[in-house]
């Protein structure tokens, strides 16, 4: 399997450009060579991600730069120091993270906070497999992805001060419910629907925490770097990682997991090959995760996790839609996100009704 993880890297959008000379000087202070080429990845919809080619163009060293977008941001979001620190703290106890180069909090260097890490070579799966794979191989991929998630949730957080500091104790589910409702309220636009019935159901049906572990909070195939055998080399995008309820990590994961028999509109959201023959269903993910970890949520709680995951996804889309509506970004790939939010609202409402 060839390395195609940079196939979404293109020329840097003007609105997302920065002083390459200043970055080269910063890299040299961190023991790296100057930048020879910069490209921007098109896949991310939250933080901005760039491919840096450094050193001799004939034998370059590839690095990754992460920085926040311009415009209004949710409180606590896009914290580059936090994202960098989590990965640096994880590296000794969890092998599936990139090597950090450094973090810069001084916004005068590039116009924003940022951090740089080594690029992990390998394949990042996007909407479809680049070539068909056998159902047995798809099943094996799911098992490997599950094993890494279980391994992450098995990290002894208390033994790593940089991770233990993320914990806020019991009540994680409740804090998430309140926090994401606040984010929705803070990013409403004129076309935002009436979420009141769905929000009331979420608040009423939230379960108690099932544990306190390190969770990724955005665990999906296009945040994983795979090797030639479809094993997981690295987990990317730790912006939302924290210490909390492991089943909430599963909640966010299955929100993105579009199955082959899902409706036509939901198929339009698919950003990973979760519909391919042999890939697990959402229920299989839940059942196999619970079998591996010993969790046994009720059927009512399982509805909550699915509804909350979709609601959270809707709020993420709404926050980006807010930036687009207010012309804080001109990225036309965001032009349909208002419709995405509306669809997810209806999907949440349907799941709630079916559970009654």
């Amino acid at each position: 399997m060839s390395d195609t993880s940079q196939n979404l890297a293109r020329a840097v959008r003007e609105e997302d450009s920065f002083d390459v000379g200043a970055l080269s000087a910063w890299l040299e202070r961190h023991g790296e060579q100057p930048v020879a080429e910069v490209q921007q990845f098109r896949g991310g919809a939250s933080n901005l991600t760039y491919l840096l080619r450094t050193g001799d163009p004939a034998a370059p060293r590839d690095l990754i730069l992460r920085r926040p977008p311009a415009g209004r941001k949710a409180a606590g979001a896009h914290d580059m120091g936090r994202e960098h620190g989590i990965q640096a703290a994880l590296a000794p106890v969890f092998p599936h993270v990139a090597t950090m180069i450094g973090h810069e909090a001084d916004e005068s260097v590039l116009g924003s906070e940022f951090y740089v890490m080594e690029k992990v070579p390998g394949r990042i799966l996007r909407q479809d497999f680049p070539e068909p794979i056998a159902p047995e191989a798809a099943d094996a991929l799911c098992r490997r992805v599950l094993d890494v998630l279980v391994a992450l949730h098995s990290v002894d957080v208390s033994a790593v001060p940089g991770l233990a500091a993320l914990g806020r104790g019991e009540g994680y589910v409740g804090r998430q419910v309140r926090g994401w409702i606040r984010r929705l309220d803070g990013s409403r636009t004129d076309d935002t629907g009436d979420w009141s019935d769905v929000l009331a159901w979420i608040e009423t049906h939230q379960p108690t925490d099932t544990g306190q572990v390190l969770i990724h909070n955005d665990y999906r195939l296009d945040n994983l770097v795979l090797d030639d055998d479809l094993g997981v080399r690295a987990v990317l995008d730790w912006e939302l990682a924290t210490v909390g309820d492991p089943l909430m990590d599963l909640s966010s994961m299955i929100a993105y997991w579009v199955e082959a028999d899902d409706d036509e509109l939901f198929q339009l959201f698919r950003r990973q090959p979760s519909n391919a023959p042999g890939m697990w269903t959402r229920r299989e993910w839940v059942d196999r995760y619970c079998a591996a970890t010993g969790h046994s949520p009720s059927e009512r709680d399982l509805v909550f996790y699915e509804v909350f995951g979709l609601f959270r996804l809707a709020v993420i889309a709404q926050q980006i839609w807010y930036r687009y509506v207010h012309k804080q970004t001109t990225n036309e790939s965001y032009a349909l996100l208002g419709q995405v939010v509306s669809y997810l609202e209806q999907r949440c409402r349907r799941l709630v009704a079916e559970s009654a």
Side-chain angles (χ1 to χ4, degrees), residues 41 49-51 62-66 115-119:
F41 287 96
T49 306
Y50 305 81
L51 172 66
D62 287 350
L63 305 175
I64 299 295
L65 166 70
R66 294 266 289 171
Y115 76 91
V116 176
M117 61 185 176
E118 291 184 0
K119 180 179 181 292

Side-chain angles (χ1 to χ4, degrees), residues 155-314:
V155 168
D156 184 357
V157 172
S158 64
V160 184
L163 302 179
L166 299 172
R168 294 176 55 193
E170 294 297 322
Y172 176 80
V173 174
R175 289 193 296 274
Q176 286 293 290
V177 169
R178 294 189 297 273
W180 285 99
I181 290 176
R182 283 197 303 271
R183 290 182 180 93
L184 175 64
D185 289 340
S187 59
R188 286 182 178 272
T189 48
D190 290 343
D191 58 349
T192 304
D194 178 13
W195 281 83
S196 58
D197 56 332
V198 174
L199 300 184
W201 186 92
I202 288 174
E203 289 183 300
T204 301
H205 291 81
Q206 57 185 290
T208 57
D209 291 0
T210 61
Q212 296 290 308
V213 304
L214 185 68
I215 59 177
H216 182 270
N217 252 335
D218 203 11
Y219 193 75
R220 56 179 198 261
L221 294 183
D222 59 343
N223 276 335
L224 305 178
V225 182
L226 307 179
D227 62 23
D228 288 345
D229 298 319
L230 296 180
V232 180
R233 278 186 176 154
V235 183
L236 306 176
D237 198 353
W238 293 84
E239 176 187 359
L240 298 173
T242 192
V243 172
D245 185 336
L247 291 182
M248 293 289 271
D249 221 0
L250 205 60
S251 167
S252 67
M253 180 185 177
I254 63 174
Y256 287 97
W257 199 263
V258 180
E259 301 173 8
D261 60 352
D262 279 324
D263 64 65
E264 184 178 355
L265 285 175
F266 204 33
Q267 294 293 336
L268 296 176
F269 298 359
R270 186 174 58 79
R271 54 190 303 170
Q272 54 189 350
S274 50
N275 64 333
M279 298 294 274
W280 296 351
T281 64
R282 289 184 292 272
R283 186 56 191 246
E284 284 179 303
W285 270 107
V286 171
D287 290 346
R288 295 189 190 213
Y289 176 85
C290 290
T293 59
H295 292 292
S296 55
S298 68
E299 289 297 321
R300 192 195 75 165
D301 288 349
L302 290 179
V303 176
F304 169 86
Y305 293 123
E306 184 169 4
V307 170
F308 183 79
L310 292 169
F311 162 64
R312 175 179 172 273
L313 177 57

